Amino acid sequence: MYNRIDNFISRDTAYTIHRWCRERAELDPSGRLNFFITNSYLPNYHENAYLMQDLFDLISKAISHEIGYKKEKIKLKRINYQVLLEGQSIGFHTDEGGAYDKDMLFNGYSALLYLNDEYEGGEILFYKSHDGDESKADWHKPMPGTLIYFRGGEENPHSVRTILGGERSNLILFFDVDESL
């Protein structure tokens, strides 16, 4: 099951974050534009660094509130600003277990914050079965400022349809749950 919060941040704030991250994004080996953000990276950048840190704290708080954990149990593991360009998509997958990066194993939640809507296609699909059948999926094309979060394991397979025009950008955040706290 996934959670969706429309207007989690304002459209203007989403575009501010998009512009700030887009200037720093670089092509990765798969041809996607990415910018990996770390907590140590943030203080090196003017006023938007504080906006970003506040945003990450706000998302952590929303997730911890929804799932009933104390905020201290939710630890931000990784943040990725990603742009999908025309012709790109992301196939059927789950996030847990290092879907894209074997060193990125985590036990927790994924959050997607949508930053723009100047693109065609690019809908996110959440599958009701593990066979990749789109007819058994819920799909969304969120507006800028929408937050979608979900447990990153096998219970939430998902994909992103091909971008037919424009660029789709969002922040992808991965959170661990520390059961020992």
Side-chain angles (χ1 to χ4, degrees):
M1 185 64 171
Y2 57 89
N3 298 283
R4 177 178 170 159
I5 304 173
D6 293 320
N7 301 309
F8 184 76
I9 60 172
S10 73
R11 183 181 197 86
D12 288 344
T13 300
Y15 278 108
T16 297
I17 294 167
H18 167 62
R19 286 188 301 274
W20 185 77
C21 290
R22 182 68 172 84
E23 291 173 2
R24 291 157 179 80
E26 297 178 358
L27 280 176
D28 69 14
S30 72
R32 293 186 187 123
L33 284 168
N34 283 288
F35 171 49
F36 294 95
I37 305 166
T38 64
N39 286 335
S40 62
Y41 185 89
L42 287 175
N44 298 321
Y45 285 93
H46 53 82
E47 70 279 356
N48 284 337
Y50 299 104
L51 170 68
M52 297 293 279
Q53 188 61 57
D54 289 346
L55 175 64
F56 303 148
D57 290 343
L58 189 62
I59 293 170
S60 297
K61 187 176 179 179
I63 291 172
S64 65
H65 175 74
E66 180 69 28
I67 62 177
Y69 285 126
K70 292 179 184 175
K71 185 175 174 283
E72 307 81 59
K73 287 187 137 194
I74 308 296
K75 303 291 183 196
L76 183 59
K77 174 109 181 189
R78 182 173 170 180
I79 311 155
N80 179 27
Y81 167 79
Q82 184 177 73
V83 176
L84 293 180
L85 304 170
E86 187 172 339
Q88 294 179 333
S89 62
I90 299 176
F92 179 88
H93 70 282
T94 64
D95 292 342
E96 195 169 61
Y100 297 111
D101 180 348
K102 298 302 178 201
D103 296 326
M104 203 281 301
L105 299 175
F106 77 106
N107 173 31
Y109 287 80
S110 300
L112 307 170
L113 182 64
Y114 288 81
L115 302 177
N116 76 329
D117 61 357
E118 291 92 25
Y119 60 92
E120 296 176 44
E123 299 87 356
I124 187 165
L125 289 85
F126 287 95
Y127 296 87
K128 298 176 185 174
S129 65
H130 286 84
D131 60 8
D133 183 352
E134 285 193 12
S135 69
K136 299 176 186 171
D138 295 332
W139 64 272
H140 304 269
K141 185 174 179 188
M143 299 300 293
T146 299
L147 178 70
I148 295 178
Y149 61 94
F150 51 94
R151 185 103 170 114
E154 293 296 319
E155 67 274 21
N156 285 308
H158 53 284
S159 67
V160 178
R161 287 182 175 153
T162 302
I163 305 300
L164 302 175
E167 297 181 357
R168 174 189 184 266
S169 71
N170 62 352
L171 283 179
I172 306 166
L173 301 95
F174 298 102
F175 295 87
D176 269 335
V177 176
D178 187 346
E179 299 291 348
S180 68
L181 295 176

